[in-house]
Each structure stands twice: as C-alpha cells, then as structure tokens.
Amino acid sequence: MSNSISLHLRKFIAERSLNRCEYCLLPQALALHKHEPDHIIPVQHGGETNKENLAFSCMRCNRNKGPNVGSFDPETGKLVPFYNPRKQNWDEHFKIKDAIIIPLTPEARVTVMIFRLNNEDRITERKCMKEAGLL
Ligand SMILES: [Zn+2]
C-alpha cells in the first residue's frame, strides 16, 4: 500500500485548515518547520490516506502524537481517543487562556498531554503571536 500523499491532497488539507495546525492552531506561516498531513488514525492502525483521515499538523504535534491514537485520561484513568479534527469542533474541546490551551473534554485532555501542547516553548510562542495580534 502506498503511503504517499499527492500534491493535490496536501494542498487541500492545508487550505481546509486555513493553513493552521488543526491541533495547536499554530499558523504555517509562523512555524519553523513545514506543517505536514497527519493521519488521524495512523496507517499502522488501518488509517487510510484520504481527506477524512488527514489533518494539517505542525511538526511538533505530529511528532509528539507519533503512532498513538489516544491515551489514558489523567482525570479518570480511562482510555480515550485523541481529539479528532474531522469529527469534532476545536472550540467545543479547547479554549485558550493566557496563551495556554485548556482542555474541556477527556479527548482534549489526552491530546494536550500527549501532544505536549503546553510545553513552555509553545506557550512562549503563543504569547508572542498574541502580542503580534496573530492569535
Ligand atoms: Zn500543532
């Protein structure tokens, strides 16, 4: 099975996301590395390379996610899938306060934890973007 993503599909994924990471909302224009298509359900778990299973992701979110599909909710200990940008609405799962991404749901909690959305450098970056009126 080919895992390559066509240029056309890459362009679609980027435009659909308004050129922002669909997890941490970092704009592509402000990222050090190019954003990339993320298999929401990784290929090794049977995820397909199509519009429904791809999200636009910054490199850090994509690397931190790795081949995972979810984790244990730190509040309940239950196994929970990550936030799914194709099936769920960011604003219903997260909010940003003082440059910190606050999870509102179990899916958001495991996403914030495993994707390390609130690492110190990422919070600093968000503060800079906010000051520049970009967030
Ligand atoms: Zn990201």
Side-chain angles (χ1 to χ4, degrees), residues 20-27 35 56-62 101 115 117 122 125-126:
R20 293 191 309 181
C21 174
E22 296 191 71
Y23 299 107
C24 73
L25 306 186
L26 176 69
H35 285 17
F56 203 43
S57 174
C58 72
M59 203 190 76
R60 283 184 293 190
C61 282
N62 207 8
I101 296 179
F115 289 44
L117 296 186
R122 303 181 87 174
E125 202 172 69
R126 264 179 235 129

Side-chain angles (χ1 to χ4, degrees), residues 4 11-12 16 34 70 78 94 105:
S4 70
K11 192 165 179 276
F12 174 86
R16 177 175 60 186
K34 279 188 88 172
K78 285 187 182 158
F94 307 90
T105 62

